[in-house]
Amino acid sequence: MKLAFISDIHGNAIALDAVIRDMKERNVDKIYVLGDISFRGPEPQRSLNLVRSLNCKVIKGNADEWVVRGIEKGEVPDQALGIMTEEREWTFSHLDEDSIKYLGSLPTELTFEVEGVNFHTFHATPNSLFEVIQPFESDDSLSKKLMTREANVYIYAHIHKPYIRYINGKCLINIGSVGLPFDGVNKSSYSIIDINGDGIQTSIVRVDYDVNQVINQFSESDYPNVENMTNVLKNAKL
């Protein structure tokens, strides 16, 4: 059984197209989406439509929560609050009413079992949509913050920096970002877990997409933060 975990699309439907093609080529059996679907990209509605067309389990990310109810003071740096609020309003205005209701209805975590392997998935931490947990934290810190339920595999997103670690015999994966990577590699990132009779195989997959086409989409739109988003896409860093 081959499972794919994707997240942090951020309105980049061109990147999501590429990842969907890649998953089909790899004969993925099941797909799970870990949030942040529409906000901060040029195609919020098409990105959401693509996710919903996958007919898969989806959880909420912090950016989905922002689209629904706005960004509150303290959730982003004070100097970024104004422009990010403008970006949120732009995204909100480019989504239909049903899409807003859909984002608001999403759960914040999933626990499930596939062929004897137990999974716990969430966007940022089991208790927060916003907390940032970096890959360089100690085993003890990661275990206390992220591995709070009994499972074999723990999967999260949010930081846009993919990695795989094993802690006390358990697997911890950050799947990175489909649409807005922050690790200096401007390729989409997602994770595949292949379950077979001998155990599991885990991998981070990087997928090429047309970054310049997405930059052109921003340039041709009335998006309120084009220069910054262009730099992030080019450099794959904040």
Side-chain angles (χ1 to χ4, degrees), residues 138-209:
S138 68
D139 284 1
D140 185 58
S141 176
L142 290 172
S143 179
K144 287 179 178 177
K145 293 176 181 178
L146 300 177
M147 305 167 81
T148 59
R149 288 193 184 190
E150 185 59 35
N152 305 114
V153 183
Y154 302 83
I155 304 177
Y156 78 113
H158 190 50
I159 61 173
H160 300 211
K161 298 174 183 178
Y163 71 91
I164 299 173
R165 279 175 68 169
Y166 286 85
I167 301 173
N168 299 323
K170 310 289 187 177
C171 182
L172 174 65
I173 303 175
N174 187 283
I175 59 178
S177 172
V178 168
L180 211 60
F182 291 166
D183 64 345
V185 181
N186 58 1
K187 297 181 180 184
S188 296
S189 172
Y190 75 102
S191 181
I192 286 179
I193 297 182
D194 195 355
I195 305 172
N196 54 59
D198 298 323
I200 65 171
Q201 182 179 30
T202 62
S203 60
I204 300 293
V205 181
R206 303 308 291 253
V207 180
D208 283 308
Y209 74 94

Side-chain angles (χ1 to χ4, degrees), residues 71-232:
I71 304 172
E72 297 177 0
K73 186 176 175 60
E75 291 177 343
V76 299
D78 287 346
Q79 65 270 25
L81 181 58
I83 188 62
M84 288 186 68
T85 296
E86 290 182 39
E87 292 176 82
R88 177 265 169 187
E89 291 171 352
W90 186 92
T91 303
F92 186 91
S93 72
H94 285 74
L95 291 170
D96 59 36
E97 184 177 352
D98 181 63
S99 295
I100 301 299
K101 289 180 180 178
Y102 172 81
L103 292 176
S105 70
L106 292 173
T108 57
E109 62 181 341
L110 289 174
T111 56
F112 57 94
E113 179 267 335
V114 177
E115 296 186 1
V117 180
N118 291 300
F119 292 83
H120 187 197
T121 69
F122 39 88
H123 182 72
T125 76
N127 302 311
S128 171
L129 293 176
F130 302 97
E131 189 175 358
V132 175
I133 308 297
Q134 298 285 9
F136 50 75
E137 294 196 26
S138 68
D139 284 1
D140 185 58
S141 176
L142 290 172
S143 179
K144 287 179 178 177
K145 293 176 181 178
L146 300 177
M147 305 167 81
T148 59
R149 288 193 184 190
E150 185 59 35
N152 305 114
V153 183
Y154 302 83
I155 304 177
Y156 78 113
H158 190 50
I159 61 173
H160 300 211
K161 298 174 183 178
Y163 71 91
I164 299 173
R165 279 175 68 169
Y166 286 85
I167 301 173
N168 299 323
K170 310 289 187 177
C171 182
L172 174 65
I173 303 175
N174 187 283
I175 59 178
S177 172
V178 168
L180 211 60
F182 291 166
D183 64 345
V185 181
N186 58 1
K187 297 181 180 184
S188 296
S189 172
Y190 75 102
S191 181
I192 286 179
I193 297 182
D194 195 355
I195 305 172
N196 54 59
D198 298 323
I200 65 171
Q201 182 179 30
T202 62
S203 60
I204 300 293
V205 181
R206 303 308 291 253
V207 180
D208 283 308
Y209 74 94
D210 194 337
V211 177
N212 288 328
Q213 187 178 355
V214 182
I215 290 171
N216 289 337
Q217 287 181 324
F218 269 123
S219 299
E220 293 169 2
S221 74
D222 59 350
Y223 193 83
N225 196 14
V226 169
E227 183 177 357
N228 179 57
M229 296 311 300
T230 294
N231 288 331
V232 174

